[in-house]
Amino acid sequence: MSTTPIADLALVSDRHSAGLIGRDGSVEWLCFPRFDGPSVFARLLDDDAGHWVIRPSVPYETTRRYVPQTMVLETTFRTGSGTVVLTDALLTGPDDGGHRLGAGVPHLLVRRVSGLGGEVPMEIEYRPRPEYGLICPILSIVGGGVTARGGAEWLVLTTPVPLDIGDSTGYGVFTVRMGETRHFGMHRSTLEETPARMWDQAELAARLDATIVAWRSWSSLHQTYDGPWQDLVHHSGRVLQALSFQPSGAIVAAATTSLPEGIGGERNWDYRYSWVRDASLTMGALWVAACPDEANDFFAFLTTAAPSLGTDRALQIMFSVCGEHDLSERTLPHLRGWRDSRPVRVGNGAWNQRQIDVYGELLDAALRLEQQMGDIDDDVRRFLIACADTAAERWTEKDQGIWEMRGEPQHFLYSKLMCWVALDRGIALAGRLRAQHRVESWRRTRAEIRDNLLREGWNDRVGAFTQAFGSDELDASALMVPIVGFLPAGDSRTLSTIDAVADRLTDERGLVYRYRTVTGVDGLTDGEGTFLLCTFWLAEALALSGQVGRAREVFERAAAYANDVGLLSEEVDPDRGELLGNFPQAFSHIGLVNAAWAIDEAERACGPVGPGRGNGDGRVA
């Protein structure tokens, strides 16, 4: 089984595919030709599922960083005899600057080894295992490198170092001296594509340099946020761009599948898809950390993939990066899983769940983009009207909720709240949608939902809005009450809910759980870690309520769990304090951006909280 700590991984992306590389120079995960494609390297989920290592063959120390303003990774190895830098990138295309980032990618992973001082003995182990480790390809030595044949994949490794072949694995050793540089490249194609080929050293060098320029051109065009934690916000914007699929604008929830929410447990899901649930929060983050173009692209993807309300008028909650609807889940029993966490899954069984929150998330996203959308075509206009109408019709139904519970449907607070949002935003957009004739009906239903939420969602015994009607269980999604504007952040019920979450739904580190899994309401028996997104929600809600000092403390508490290259996972293990869950997690980075923005806005309104500022409870005086 794989034991690589999740925090040891770093992301590379060409906006089609993603790879994860360990501190030891090992490519632990790489899928082609898109994020949800089958892996070529998957040692992250099983020692036998493939990897590609380039590292010193003697003891070393490691530091890492991204080349500034890029997602090109630099790993520096320091040994007793010298220092080398390993630079890793999935190449962008020859004309991929600015808004075109990722438009013409060759599906080529390049690895540059450069000597900085002295000399360092190096080793390479190349072990491709396509289709999640099912295939041991035939490796053949050819001029300039090694080919791998087997299944649908045709892999061509360009290597300036001769390799010995055995057991479908290539091995080699070499020495790098100060001033020397070598480039390695793995090019991938399938049988129906133009075949992958060997690349010469000058080509690889030029294309790697061009990839750095392309990322920097995107960053310089898009990243203008100048508030607190600017570096973290800008980096999170690049991570979201790296998790976006250039041909469609879809953003995947994470680059991986089956990294568990609890070590050894069954909460192992495939997150390489795009969720409607994320829409409105993603729009806000992209506005802050990227630009409206990316927000427009994501919204355009959703309104292209989603407009099929089905025979029961239900909107599907998630799609593949190309818009496919059928994401049927299956397990891969030959993979042992990260730290023996089974089953390993591909596909996601939640695709056919019914969640009534999605209508609100789509309409909230539309309202955020209202000024940028220009003319709304008739198909999108009718679809958005249908979303508001469907929310009005279905808000009384039980569903699986924001957390995709695999237990019995319930009347979840968050789902009802987002139906209120759907109608509220539909009313605001009525003129653009040419739906003025629906406004009176939408207003009546919005008022009905509001009364129901205040009556059934508020729990006097708990002193908070709770997870579901009639439930005594807290849920972090109740923090969305002020975030979406249902109640003012200073309302006594809002403040009481914020305090209840902060006091009773956190671990000893002050990180927030989604809910208490011991209740068994989600249909699963094992536990999970605290959620970084939910902790950022707490920071955002505190900022909205004027509690800026507390908001900063909570934000910094969560942001401190970014790894050495600034990446966040989904969760933190409450016992060990290590990162858990699929990685890097878009939702965590979205939460970071939105919380930073809310804190910045609160400080602009009331001034920064410093020594001597604020009340005893942390609220700004």
Side-chain angles (χ1 to χ4, degrees), residues 152-201:
E153 305 282 345
W154 170 247
L155 302 173
V156 178
L157 175 69
T158 299
T159 169
V161 174
L163 302 185
D164 295 323
I165 304 299
D167 190 27
S168 295
T169 305
Y171 305 90
V173 296
F174 60 105
T175 299
V176 178
R177 297 173 179 83
M178 186 173 66
E180 293 181 344
T181 299
R182 292 183 174 88
H183 291 84
F184 301 79
M186 190 190 76
H187 194 188
R188 177 263 182 201
S189 65
T190 58
L191 298 179
E192 75 272 14
E193 296 173 327
T194 301
R197 63 178 177 86
M198 295 293 172
W199 295 61
D200 65 38
Q201 292 290 296

Side-chain angles (χ1 to χ4, degrees), residues 19 27 69 123 134 210 237 257 317 320 324-325 332 360 380 412 427 434 481 503 512 552 580 602 606 611:
V27 183
Q69 295 183 293
E123 61 184 2
L134 281 175
T257 180
I317 68 168
S320 80
E324 292 98 343
H325 283 223
L332 302 179
V380 172
F412 287 106
I427 292 165
R434 301 204 298 273
V481 165
D503 294 341
V512 179
R552 274 187 163 269
L580 289 178
C606 357

